[in-house]
Amino acid sequence: MTTINYINTPEKLTAVCALIREASWLALDTEFLREKTYYPKFCLLQIATPDWVACIDPIALPDLGELFAAIYNPNIIKVFHSCRQDLEIFFQVTGKLPTPIFDTQVAAPLLGFQDNPGYAMLVSSFLNINLSKAHTRADWSKRPLTEAQIEYAADDVIYLCQIYQIIIKKLAELGRADWLKQDFAELSNPDIYHIDPAKAWLKIKGKNKLTGKQLSIIQAVTEWREKTAQREDRPKSWLLKDELLFDIAKLQPENISDLAAVRGINERVLHRYGKELCEIITAAKNQPPIPLHEQGRPTKKTQQQEAILDILTALVRIRAEENSLNPSILASRKDLEALLFNDDNDDADGCPLLHGWRYTMAGKELVGLLKGELVLGIQADKLAIMAAHN
């Protein structure tokens, strides 16, 4: 059984940093809480290599500068599973992101798994181990941590080490070891983890059903909610739930009495922010909304557009079969629609087919089809992609 090093003193931290600096790669995971806060509360950092495993206590160690300096060494690969929340903590603590990284959730579909497979699925598939769920809802901020909690947390990186080694071996055997470099590089883009309150409305589902004053109001109120949640470090839903944003946008309350009549409004929010919210709503009604990005995509496609999508789907199926992938992993119908209705097919925003391994495998040819540079034809009783003859 692997000995778990619990790191809760500066001396132990210095010792584990020496081990980190000798590693070529590290498996990492975090435990955190954010039920009562806007920002995640960093509670534990697990690190492992094939030779050792450590659970580092950031609550007991307020100064982690030496640790992050060691981890951020660009010669050390940082291995995660579903890294975004972990990297959000790294970015919050240090103001920057580590490179290079490897994410097993991103890599696994290249080996035939579904898109975004869960960690338990990979552990079961690769190692034939069923993960315990005993401490899934544990309060990781409470001290002391039990021995069972520490073992539970350590297991995640112990198994991650094993999974990583299997995945990179299989990727190399398939000649796909370099396919994910761009995908992983994009995960270390600070823009992903820097939340701009002015753009928070873009994540609100159903916003495309609003127009004019309603859209302007939901944009303004969502920005206010994000700023207030950040400033006070409290969950956004504690201020206004998403459904309340829509009710406010539709009812357009002009004063505190009108706002109080909105079903579900929190009394604390009403008394503390009511006047401010009414002023924001009134101002928003008198200014044009930020245009929706979805405007370029028609709500109902023509028969010609459906036919083009069918042709693009055929190319996807060809390339997926050649590479032993499920076509839905390579591109969904929604992805193809994003490509078709993109005003500039060289702009990767919002379309996974325009970057990373998907672009290499099919995206470049799909763009060629849409530009008329390539055609889909039949050769030797098989579909084939050929250069267009003008």
Side-chain angles (χ1 to χ4, degrees):
M1 181 177 177
T2 305
T3 300
I4 303 169
N5 300 299
Y6 186 66
I7 311 301
N8 61 351
T9 68
E11 294 75 21
K12 291 180 179 179
L13 184 65
T14 296
V16 83
C17 285
L19 293 175
I20 290 171
R21 286 190 284 268
E22 294 174 359
S24 59
W25 59 270
L26 303 166
L28 300 113
D29 189 30
T30 61
E31 303 295 345
F32 58 90
L33 292 179
R34 72 184 317 164
E35 285 84 356
K36 298 179 180 179
T37 59
Y38 178 90
Y39 298 103
K41 183 177 181 180
F42 186 21
C43 299
L44 197 69
L45 174 63
Q46 305 98 278
I47 307 179
T49 71
D51 302 317
W52 56 267
V53 59
C55 291
I56 300 167
D57 188 345
I59 295 176
L61 295 163
D63 185 359
L64 296 174
E66 181 184 14
L67 173 67
F68 283 107
I71 292 173
Y72 279 45
N73 182 338
N75 296 316
I76 300 174
I77 298 170
K78 275 65 72 171
V79 181
F80 298 89
H81 179 85
S82 188
C83 69
R84 288 204 178 200
Q85 288 187 313
D86 302 305
L87 291 183
E88 181 184 355
I89 292 174
F90 280 44
F91 186 69
Q92 177 187 327
V93 173
T94 69
K96 56 184 180 179
L97 292 159
T99 58
I101 65 167
F102 186 101
D103 191 323
T104 56
Q105 186 178 65
V106 175
L110 288 184
L111 302 179
F113 287 86
Q114 67 183 47
D115 209 14
N116 298 319
Y119 182 62
M121 176 190 291
L122 297 190
V123 172
S124 177
S125 299
F126 286 126
L127 307 178
N128 197 28
I129 294 172
N130 293 321
L131 287 178
S132 167
K133 298 180 180 179
H135 300 283
T136 303
R137 302 294 299 171
D139 185 345
W140 292 96
S141 67
K142 289 185 176 180
R143 295 296 183 270
L145 295 173
T146 66
E147 185 176 335
Q149 280 180 291
I150 294 171
E151 289 180 0
Y152 172 89
D155 279 348
D156 281 347
V157 284
I158 291 171
Y159 298 142
L160 185 57
C161 279
Q162 298 172 42
I163 289 170
Y164 170 66
Q165 292 175 93
I166 294 170
I167 287 177
I168 57 172
K169 181 181 178 182
K170 289 181 177 292
L171 288 175
E173 290 171 350
L174 293 169
R176 300 175 184 177
D178 295 329
W179 283 17
L180 295 161
K181 284 185 176 179
Q182 185 177 348
D183 299 73
F184 293 154
E186 289 175 359
L187 287 169
S188 290
N189 180 357
D191 291 343
I192 296 175
Y193 308 94
H194 174 73
I195 301 173
D196 182 355
K199 296 180 180 180
W201 68 276
L202 293 170
K203 296 184 178 181
I204 300 296
K205 294 181 180 179
K207 61 185 178 297
N208 56 319
K209 297 178 182 178
L210 303 179
T211 58
K213 292 181 180 180
Q214 292 181 350
L215 181 58
S216 184
I217 289 170
I218 206 167
Q219 289 169 345
V221 175
T222 302
E223 179 178 358
W224 169 86
R225 184 181 70 166
E226 200 77 28
K227 286 181 177 177
T228 305
Q230 288 178 350
R231 184 177 66 251
E232 299 185 3
D233 193 19
R234 64 176 62 246
K236 293 180 292 186
S237 61
W238 285 19
L239 295 167
L240 295 171
K241 296 183 183 297
D242 282 4
E243 53 265 30
L244 266 178
L245 296 176
F246 284 93
D247 290 341
I248 289 171
K250 292 173 181 177
L251 295 172
Q252 303 176 23
E254 296 182 351
N255 51 55
I256 292 179
S257 296
D258 292 342
L259 188 60
V262 178
R263 184 177 179 181
I265 193 80
N266 184 290
E267 285 290 331
R268 179 183 175 276
V269 170
L270 184 66
H271 291 299
R272 186 168 181 178
Y273 309 107
K275 182 179 178 182
E276 181 182 4
L277 272 171
C278 289
E279 291 173 352
I280 289 170
I281 293 165
T282 299
K285 287 195 293 186
N286 296 316
Q287 62 184 24
I290 302 167
L292 285 165
H293 290 309
E294 290 91 340
Q295 283 181 334
R297 190 180 303 185
T299 54
K300 183 174 176 60
K301 293 177 284 295
T302 66
Q303 288 299 315
Q304 283 288 330
Q305 289 167 339
E306 292 284 8
I308 292 171
L309 287 169
D310 289 339
I311 292 172
L312 299 182
T313 300
L315 187 150
V316 168
R317 287 176 176 169
I318 292 170
R319 294 299 177 239
E321 181 183 24
E322 290 173 350
N323 290 279
S324 302
L325 292 178
N326 186 319
S328 65
I329 299 299
L330 179 53
S332 66
R333 188 81 169 186
K334 185 177 179 181
D335 294 332
L336 294 174
E337 288 179 16
L339 186 68
L340 175 60
F341 298 116
N342 193 347
D343 291 335
D344 180 358
N345 294 131
D346 295 322
D347 181 4
D349 287 348
C351 183
L353 281 163
L354 290 174
H355 63 88
W357 66 269
R358 289 178 174 86
Y359 179 75
T360 303
M361 186 181 291
K364 186 176 182 179
E365 288 180 320
L366 290 167
V367 172
L369 278 175
L370 290 173
K371 290 183 175 180
E373 298 166 353
L374 299 174
V375 296
L376 198 63
I378 299 175
Q379 288 184 338
D381 297 325
K382 289 187 177 181
L383 282 173
I385 293 92
M386 301 169 285
H389 298 290
N390 297 322

